[in-house]
């Protein structure tokens, strides 16, 4: 009978928490497939790595995106196993983790400050703009606070239980069955702490909270410290054991942590005696909580601090209340035995929260306020404790009737709920810069491609490389059979070798006017976009790709300077064939710019391919050069033909005369040139074109 009614009892006991979680879920799940208004390449990269996990790829560290810890992608893979390769799996994973974060924050705060403060903290976290933003992005950052707060909760409870067991035993040795309540909590806390190192870079400082609690107990309750330190040591040892595989991998492969190197620039300067950068970062980042926030629209309303004005005022009031506890509270215990009761002194909870706040903020203090929305996420659980402390103290001081207190609190958080909903769904989501960051024009293009899958499609974008626009397309069109081609129309033009071919140009990557003469057709459509969209228009061309390529071949010069009498085509390695060239600026002076168009045909994809064009001096050394490729080799389709525009800036000191022009290709990862093959014979590692004349 008791078991029959237990769920009802639990629902009644936690009714307010359930309502808070429902409110949080309503904000986090509303229009989750439409807002954010598109997909960033970071989200897409996470999704593709998660799908790789589903298909048996199980790395301990992901090297995409400057290096990433793996926990989020493995968690997303669990959903993808049911939902398939959809970006929604990543966003839903973030939503679930954010709800775990709220529940975990409530659990810890109820132990540290009481249930009323815990409910107010959970409510603040539920309706916070910052918390909502990080809960709807398919990024790994949300995993850090969710797991940290769980680790802290079990650790906190273990300290309480260990002290309580020690007290009940009168300080004598405790039988094993009495030690178990503390031991399993210390064990679970240590395992969770170790797992946090697999979530996000700032976890590498958050572990300091474990010894920090022992330090506070040294000053406030040495009896509890005596009871808890063996278990705390067990937690840290388990956490260390869990992290060993990741530490060993990163120690053996330090080059994979590109982002960590970038973030530690100010620390490197400080070690060399230059404290200016880190002092500037600390000064600017200290305003993040209440005055001036992250300026990047991708993750924030530019400049918005973490706390709204009302919550900021309550934050400072909560600090004042906590400091009063510390100054006027009961004197610390220096005895060998713990005090009666389980809970730790509230001064310990407050000072622990301040340390948590500082540790969570430390990555932003080092790297600066930009992108702090994610980098400082470790402080998210504890930030809303301080306003809750202030509200709890105010309600207790006023001694208002319970119904009136409840009405005032409900009005406050209802107002914050509505404000957050307005700012996120209507202000932030419709900001033109946000729509650029979330690739809305690309999403519109992919929607068009999905509706015209019978046509081979080449898309012009400023980010045609594998882990950017193509990654977004792979996750968005996971079920499409259309083998997309990618190029940047600012410097290249590509013709798929199929009779029905579509070329799509965006406003940021339009067809270069110098290349427009090679596409002598009228656009067939312009995709509808908002007047305020920055990346517009989206222009569609349709053509016969094979006929277009043949017209290019007749226009481009196929003569070579060497060997004598040789002509294109020239095979470079096994991947690409040189077909010809055209000088677009026949009259050029020293200090001017030579424009050269070269024509190529793909014979095999080549990851990391780069084309070079050199003006060669008397001793064979390049006097000017342009190395680039705007139709990335990793997405080449065999048979396709493309034009590359080379813009070579000439030195002003260059003497007039005739200069050889050398072109070729190499791979960027090893800087090895592809061999030039003519009539089956390797002739060198470059192609010599007829000399160009530089005017006097």
């Amino acid at each position: 009978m008791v078991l029959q009614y237990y769920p009802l009892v639990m629902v009644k006991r936690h009714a307010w928490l359930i309502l808070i979680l429902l409110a949080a879920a309503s904000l986090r799940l509303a229009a989750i497939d439409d807002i954010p208004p598109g997909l960033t390449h970071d989200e897409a990269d996470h999704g593709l790595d998660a799908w790789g996990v589903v298909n048996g790829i199980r790395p301990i560290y992901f090297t995409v995106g400057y290096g990433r810890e793996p926990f989020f992608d493995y968690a997303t893979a669990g959903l993808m196993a049911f939902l398939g390769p959809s970006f929604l799996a990543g966003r839903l994973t973030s939503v679930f983790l954010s709800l775990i974060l709220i529940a975990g924050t409530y659990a810890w705060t109820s132990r540290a400050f009481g249930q009323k403060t815990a409910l107010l903290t959970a409510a603040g976290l539920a309706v916070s703009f910052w918390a909502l933003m990080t809960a709807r992005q398919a990024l790994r950052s949300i995993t850090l606070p969710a797991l940290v707060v769980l680790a802290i909760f079990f650790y906190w409870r273990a300290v309480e239980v260990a002290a309580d067991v020690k007290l009940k035993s009168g300080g004598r040795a405790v039988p094993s069955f009495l030690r178990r309540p503390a031991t399993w909590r210390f064990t679970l806390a240590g395992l969770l702490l170790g797992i946090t190192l697999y979530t996000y870079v700032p976890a590498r400082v958050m572990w300091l909270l474990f010894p920090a609690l022992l330090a506070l107990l040294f000053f406030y309750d040495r009896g509890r410290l005596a009871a808890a330190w063996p278990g705390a040591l067990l937690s840290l040892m388990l956490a260390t054991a869990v992290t060993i595989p990741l530490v060993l991998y990163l120690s053996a492969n330090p080059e994979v942590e590109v982002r960590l190197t970038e973030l530690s620039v100010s620390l490197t300067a400080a070690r060399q005696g230059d404290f200016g950068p880190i002092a500037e970062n600390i000064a600017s980042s200290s305003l993040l909580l209440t005055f001036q926030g992250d300026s990047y629209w991708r993750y924030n309303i530019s400049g918005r601090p973490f706390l709204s004005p009302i919550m900021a005022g309550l934050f400072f009031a909560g600090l004042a209340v906590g400091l009063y506890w510390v100054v006027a509270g009961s004197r610390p215990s220096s005895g060998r035995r713990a005090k009666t009761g389980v809970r730790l002194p509230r001064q310990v909870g407050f000072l622990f929260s301040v340390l948590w706040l500082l540790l969570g903020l430390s990555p932003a203090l080092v790297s600066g306020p930009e992108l702090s929305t994610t980098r400082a996420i470790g402080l998210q659980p504890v930030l809303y404790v301080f306003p809750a402390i202030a509200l709890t103290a105010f309600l207790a001081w006023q001694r208002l009737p319970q119904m009136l207190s409840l009405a005032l609190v409900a009005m406050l958080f209802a107002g914050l709920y509505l404000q957050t909903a307005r700012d996120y769904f209507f202000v932030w989501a419709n900001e033109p810069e946000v729509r650029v960051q979330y690739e809305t024009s690309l999403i519109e293009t992919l929607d068009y491609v999905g509706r015209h899958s019978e046509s081979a499609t080449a898309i012009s974008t400023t980010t045609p490389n594998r882990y950017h626009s193509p990654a977004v397309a792979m996750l968005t069109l996971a079920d499409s059979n259309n083998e997309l081609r990618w190029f940047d129309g600012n410097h290249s033009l590509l013709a798929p070798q199929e009779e029905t071919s579509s070329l799509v140009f965006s406003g940021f990557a339009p067809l270069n006017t110098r290349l427009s003469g090679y596409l002598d057709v009228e656009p067939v459509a312009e995709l509808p976009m908002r007047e305020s969209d920055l990346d517009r228009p989206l222009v569609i061309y349709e053509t016969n790709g094979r006929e277009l390529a043949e017209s290019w071949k007749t226009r481009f010069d196929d003569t070579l300077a060497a060997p004598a009498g040789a002509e294109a085509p020239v095979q470079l390695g096994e991947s690409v064939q040189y077909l010809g060239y055209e000088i677009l600026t026949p009259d050029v002076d020293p200090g001017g710019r030579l424009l050269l168009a070269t024509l190529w045909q793909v014979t095999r994809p080549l990851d990391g391919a780069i084309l070079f064009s050199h003006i060669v001096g008397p001793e064979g050394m390049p006097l000017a050069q342009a190395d680039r490729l705007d139709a990335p080799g990793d997405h080449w389709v065999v048979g396709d033909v493309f034009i590359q525009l080379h813009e070579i800036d000439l030195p002003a000191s260059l003497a007039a005369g005739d200069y050889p022009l050398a072109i070729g290709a190499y791979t960027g990862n090893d800087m090895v040139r592809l061999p030039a093959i003519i009539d089956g014979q390797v002739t060198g590692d470059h192609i010599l074109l007829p000399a160009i004349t530089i005017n006097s």
Side-chain angles (χ1 to χ4, degrees):
M1 185 66 69
V2 174
L3 292 177
Q4 181 179 354
Y5 291 104
Y6 182 74
L8 296 177
V9 172
M10 292 301 294
V11 168
K12 183 177 180 180
R13 180 180 176 184
H14 297 292
W16 286 111
L17 176 61
I18 293 171
L19 288 176
I20 290 170
L21 290 173
L22 289 174
S26 68
L27 283 173
R28 284 151 177 76
L29 291 173
I32 190 67
D33 56 339
D34 293 323
I35 302 175
L39 193 66
T40 67
H41 66 268
D42 288 326
E43 290 180 303
D45 290 338
H46 272 297
L48 293 177
D49 281 339
W51 186 239
V53 171
V54 174
N55 288 280
I57 302 173
R58 310 285 167 78
I60 195 171
Y61 189 84
F62 290 97
T63 57
V64 176
Y66 305 100
R68 296 200 314 262
E69 295 78 8
F71 183 88
F72 180 79
D73 292 338
Y74 278 87
T76 302
L79 274 182
M80 278 194 175
F82 299 97
L83 299 179
S86 167
F87 71 91
L88 279 177
R91 290 188 179 172
L92 289 175
T93 300
S94 292
V95 169
F96 295 153
L97 286 167
S98 73
L99 296 177
I100 291 173
L101 166 61
I102 295 171
T105 300
Y106 166 83
W108 171 74
T109 311
S110 66
R111 300 306 309 174
F113 302 104
Q115 187 180 29
K116 186 177 294 185
T117 302
L119 287 171
L120 294 173
T121 301
L125 188 57
V127 302
S128 157
F129 179 86
W130 180 28
L132 178 63
M133 175 68 68
T134 55
R136 293 175 63 98
Q137 299 164 338
L139 300 176
R140 75 189 191 281
S141 54
I142 187 62
T143 59
L144 172 60
L147 292 185
V148 163
V149 76
L150 291 179
I152 293 300
F153 167 70
F154 286 109
Y155 182 64
W156 196 274
R157 286 292 291 129
V159 170
E160 292 177 335
V161 172
D164 192 42
V165 170
K166 187 82 171 179
L167 177 65
K168 291 176 181 177
S169 67
R172 299 184 299 275
V174 183
S176 60
F177 70 91
L178 288 177
R179 292 200 302 269
R180 288 173 188 166
T183 303
W184 74 260
R185 289 180 172 89
F186 278 123
T187 300
L188 187 54
L191 294 176
L192 287 168
L193 180 64
I195 295 172
T196 63
L197 270 292
Y198 292 81
T199 62
Y200 194 36
V201 174
R204 301 179 192 190
V205 297
M206 300 306 296
W207 69 271
L208 291 170
L209 288 171
F210 273 50
L213 180 57
L214 298 183
L216 291 173
L217 290 179
F218 177 82
F219 291 103
Y220 277 92
D221 204 328
R222 294 181 186 175
R224 292 184 184 273
L225 175 61
W229 76 262
L233 182 60
L234 171 64
S235 293
L236 291 173
M237 291 175 62
L238 287 172
T240 301
V242 170
T243 61
I244 285 175
L246 180 62
V247 171
L248 291 177
Y249 173 83
L250 294 177
S251 298
N253 303 276
E255 72 282 355
V256 302
E257 291 196 287
V258 179
R259 183 68 73 193
L260 185 62
T261 303
E262 295 177 355
L263 296 179
S264 60
V265 170
S266 63
L267 289 178
T268 302
R271 284 194 294 267
Q272 297 172 350
D274 181 7
F275 294 94
I278 196 167
E280 182 180 349
N281 287 344
I282 291 173
S284 55
S285 296
S286 62
L287 306 176
L288 286 170
L289 302 182
T290 56
F291 295 107
Q292 183 70 31
D294 185 355
S295 62
Y296 276 64
W297 278 99
R298 182 183 297 185
Y299 303 133
N300 192 30
I301 291 178
S302 181
R304 180 189 179 115
F306 292 150
L307 294 172
S308 64
I310 292 176
M311 295 296 278
L314 290 172
F315 171 82
F316 288 114
L319 280 177
V321 171
L323 290 173
Y324 173 78
W325 290 347
V326 173
V327 173
S330 59
R331 298 182 62 182
S333 168
S334 58
R336 294 180 59 83
R337 289 182 54 177
K339 297 178 182 178
T340 302
V342 174
R343 292 183 185 274
L344 276 65
R346 63 182 181 180
Q347 298 100 314
V348 172
F350 171 75
L351 292 174
F352 184 81
S353 299
V354 172
L355 291 174
W356 191 339
L357 190 78
L358 294 175
L359 282 175
L361 189 60
S362 62
L365 296 176
V366 171
S367 62
E370 287 76 17
L371 300 176
S372 57
T373 300
T374 55
R375 292 174 185 170
I377 200 170
L379 68 85
Q380 197 173 90
V382 75
L383 178 61
Y384 303 93
V385 166
F386 299 95
I389 289 173
L391 277 173
T392 304
F394 174 77
L395 294 174
W397 173 67
Q398 286 293 321
R399 298 189 181 280
L400 296 171
Q402 184 175 4
M403 292 303 297
L404 180 58
S405 298
L406 180 61
L408 290 175
V409 170
M411 289 175 58
L412 170 64
F413 287 104
L416 292 173
Y417 179 102
L418 294 174
Q419 181 186 36
T420 293
R422 180 202 65 189
D423 291 349
Y424 183 83
F425 293 102
F426 297 98
V427 177
W428 177 81
N430 291 297
E431 168 65 29
E433 180 61 28
V434 171
R435 290 175 61 80
V436 169
Q437 294 289 329
Y438 282 82
E439 303 265 23
T440 50
S441 61
L442 178 59
I443 298 300
E444 292 289 340
T445 300
L446 296 174
D447 181 64
Y448 173 87
V449 170
R451 290 182 281 108
H452 298 78
S453 57
E454 71 282 354
S455 175
T457 305
I459 299 176
S460 175
T461 170
T462 56
T463 54
N465 296 304
R466 173 188 297 172
Y467 301 117
H468 290 81
S469 295
V472 174
M474 289 174 68
L475 202 61
T476 305
L477 294 177
D479 298 327
S480 174
N481 294 322
N482 195 323
E483 191 171 17
L484 297 178
R485 284 78 160 171
W486 300 92
F487 68 103
D488 183 351
N490 290 299
H491 291 91
S492 65
L493 181 59
L494 188 147
Q497 289 307 280
E498 297 184 27
E499 292 184 0
T500 305
S501 301
S502 297
L503 280 71
V504 185
F505 295 89
S506 69
F508 288 159
L511 178 60
N512 190 304
T513 54
R514 291 287 188 172
L515 299 175
S516 59
Y518 299 113
L519 187 61
D520 191 18
V521 294
E522 293 297 320
V524 297
E526 182 176 315
L527 299 185
M529 297 188 70
R530 299 181 183 181
E531 289 295 326
S532 59
D533 281 337
L534 303 177
D535 191 10
R536 59 187 298 270
L538 287 176
V539 181
I540 313 294
Y541 293 84
E542 289 186 359
T543 183
N544 185 317
R546 296 173 184 172
E547 292 180 358
L548 182 63
E550 289 302 318
S551 70
W552 293 349
K553 293 175 184 178
T554 60
R555 178 169 175 173
F556 278 70
D557 193 336
D558 60 1
T559 59
L560 302 176
E567 297 179 344
V570 178
Q571 183 71 35
L572 293 182
E574 299 178 350
S575 296
V576 66
Q577 195 174 68
Y578 165 75
L579 300 180
Y581 78 99
E582 184 172 11
I583 302 293
L584 303 182
T585 52
D587 294 319
V588 62
D589 301 322
R593 172 174 286 182
L594 174 69
L595 297 183
L596 165 71
T598 54
L599 185 64
W600 308 83
Q601 185 161 29
V602 175
T603 54
R604 195 177 75 174
L606 179 62
D607 192 13
I610 299 175
L611 302 180
F612 67 84
S613 54
H614 296 168
I615 295 177
V616 182
E619 298 180 358
M621 297 298 293
L623 302 175
Q625 66 187 78
D627 293 16
R628 65 183 303 152
L629 175 61
D630 293 275
D634 50 289
H635 280 91
W636 280 347
V637 176
V638 175
D640 284 354
V641 176
F642 67 90
I643 300 170
Q644 176 66 41
L645 178 64
H646 308 260
E647 299 176 332
I648 308 175
D649 292 320
L650 305 179
S653 59
L654 191 65
D658 294 337
Y659 292 89
L661 190 60
I663 62 172
Y666 62 92
T667 48
N669 57 340
D670 56 14
M671 306 299 289
V672 174
R673 290 187 179 185
L674 305 185
I677 304 171
I678 300 178
D679 295 330
Q681 299 296 318
V682 175
T683 61
D685 60 6
H686 63 278
I687 303 167
L688 276 180
L689 304 182
I692 60 167
T693 300
I694 306 298
N695 299 329
S696 60

